[in-house]
Amino acid sequence: VHRAFQRGDFKKAVKEYKKLVEKHPQRADYHLKLGQAYLKKGELDSALAEFIRTTHLDPRNESAFQYLGDYFAGRKDWPKAAKAYESLAAIDPERAQYRLQLARVCETTMQLDRAQEQYYQVVRINPKIEDAYPPLIRLLQRKIMASMGDPAPVMTGNRSPNWNSGN
């Protein structure tokens, strides 16, 4: 089965993993592999169903939650993406990358205090992750400006504040 997947024969891999899942329906790892094969084959709905099954069978399966978060983020289904990334952060609270993904979703959905906290956690966990600094600084600037009575900058599509909005 694994050879078919490695060779790129995803049609055969799906067929073989389906057999394994039928024989061992409680094996989360087989559901995950079946989901990955469906994903490679381009059958996104089937892949999604298998990743969800994987999380039901193994609520600490980081790979399945990562696939779900990325899938939903790609579809701009932010609440579901956030839920998947929250699950990852709960599984491994000290994994900076999980918190970075959650922070980005929170910022995109304008949950700015929550985004700021997640970016702060990224920097605390791993100060070398430079991607966390610009949005954290931006969010802190926004908070300072608001506390001074100035209108907070409007966030634009590229996540850069527009400091001149309203003038």
Side-chain angles (χ1 to χ4, degrees), residues 84-122:
Y85 294 142
E86 286 167 356
S87 295
L88 284 169
I91 291 168
D92 189 350
E94 294 300 307
R95 176 84 58 93
Q97 191 61 36
Y98 294 163
R99 292 192 177 267
L100 183 60
Q101 292 168 311
L102 179 56
R104 287 175 172 156
V105 169
C106 291
E107 186 177 7
T108 299
T109 58
M110 298 303 287
Q111 298 175 54
L112 302 181
D113 287 338
R114 193 166 173 220
Q116 178 183 321
E117 175 58 26
Q118 293 304 314
Y119 284 124
Y120 171 76
Q121 292 299 327
V122 171

Side-chain angles (χ1 to χ4, degrees), residues 56-72:
H56 290 297
L57 293 169
D58 179 4
R60 297 187 57 79
N61 191 300
E62 294 176 43
S63 294
F65 282 113
Q66 184 68 58
Y67 280 115
L68 289 171
D70 293 349
Y71 174 85
F72 290 124

Side-chain angles (χ1 to χ4, degrees), residues 4 14 22 26 31 36-37 45 52 67 71 73 87 89-90 93 106 135 160:
V14 163
E22 288 172 12
Q26 297 303 312
H31 285 279
Q36 290 170 327
D45 290 339
I52 291 170
Y67 280 115
Y71 174 85
S87 295
C106 291
S160 298

Side-chain angles (χ1 to χ4, degrees), residues 102-166:
L102 179 56
R104 287 175 172 156
V105 169
C106 291
E107 186 177 7
T108 299
T109 58
M110 298 303 287
Q111 298 175 54
L112 302 181
D113 287 338
R114 193 166 173 220
Q116 178 183 321
E117 175 58 26
Q118 293 304 314
Y119 284 124
Y120 171 76
Q121 292 299 327
V122 171
V123 170
R124 180 191 62 77
I125 294 165
N126 186 346
K128 293 181 180 179
I129 297 181
E130 294 178 9
D131 289 352
Y133 289 99
L136 178 58
I137 291 167
R138 211 173 33 244
L139 291 170
L140 289 170
Q141 286 173 332
R142 179 186 177 99
K143 188 173 272 190
I144 290 167
M145 296 298 287
S147 73
M148 294 173 26
D150 288 343
V154 175
M155 305 299 282
T156 60
N158 65 2
R159 297 187 187 182
S160 298
N162 179 353
W163 293 100
N164 297 319
S165 65

